[in-house]
Amino acid sequence: MLTRIDHIGIACFDLDRTVEFYRATYGFEVFHSEVNEEQGVREAMLKINETSDGGASYLQLLEPTREDSAVGKWLAKNGEGVHHIAFGTADVDTDAADIRDKGVRVLYDEPRKGSMGSRITFLHPKDCHGVLTELVTAAPSAPDEH
């Protein structure tokens, strides 16, 4: 069962400059940052608030580390902006299977490693009214993190 909006992913050309905008404009601070080699991105997670299910909501700022990454290709085509929305779930495997059974294409056969040790998969935007949608299960050691 999807429990919350985990994060909104925003693609950017310059991660440091974009982080500084969100810090200066809204007061959001970096909660976590990492490079995900598999996804080809450098990212910063800005924590927005805690949620009633013990999780949190974030903005995920994404800068491609390679032009051929999914985010790199998306930026080349669309420019900076909202890349995806992610919903939190206690069980990404079960929820992805249930959604697949409803006719929505799930992009990964098996969930992959996401930010902060989470497990993730994506749903095809053409099946989700044009919105790239991510499902996220937080790492067990960090229930309040994505």
Side-chain angles (χ1 to χ4, degrees), residues 102-113:
K102 294 175 183 171
V104 175
R105 287 173 282 180
V106 177
L107 299 183
Y108 304 150
D109 290 332
E110 296 291 326
R112 296 182 181 179
K113 178 188 175 293

Side-chain angles (χ1 to χ4, degrees), residues 23-127:
R23 179 182 293 124
T25 305
Y26 305 116
F28 299 151
E29 295 295 332
V30 174
F31 179 77
H32 175 83
S33 62
E34 69 180 83
V35 174
N36 184 321
E37 296 294 342
E38 180 182 4
Q39 300 289 325
V41 295
R42 186 169 77 104
E43 66 178 81
M45 297 294 279
L46 311 178
K47 186 185 249 183
I48 307 306
N49 68 319
E50 303 293 330
T51 61
S52 62
D53 69 354
S57 292
Y58 302 89
L59 286 180
Q60 179 187 44
L61 306 179
L62 300 159
E63 174 190 79
T65 58
R66 329 182 288 271
E67 290 180 12
D68 69 338
S69 70
V71 172
K73 291 175 185 176
W74 190 90
L75 267 171
K77 180 179 178 183
N78 301 292
E80 293 185 311
V82 174
H83 179 262
H84 67 274
I85 186 168
F87 295 107
T89 172
D91 187 347
V92 68
D93 297 278
T94 298
D95 283 336
D98 290 347
I99 290 169
R100 180 182 283 122
D101 289 345
K102 294 175 183 171
V104 175
R105 287 173 282 180
V106 177
L107 299 183
Y108 304 150
D109 290 332
E110 296 291 326
R112 296 182 181 179
K113 178 188 175 293
S115 300
M116 299 184 280
S118 63
R119 297 183 69 239
I120 65 167
T121 195
F122 285 90
L123 309 178
H124 200 292
K126 289 184 179 178
D127 296 343

Side-chain angles (χ1 to χ4, degrees), residues 12-25:
C12 61
F13 292 111
D14 184 331
L15 184 64
D16 296 327
R17 195 172 125 204
T18 306
V19 164
E20 184 51 36
F21 168 82
Y22 281 96
R23 179 182 293 124
T25 305

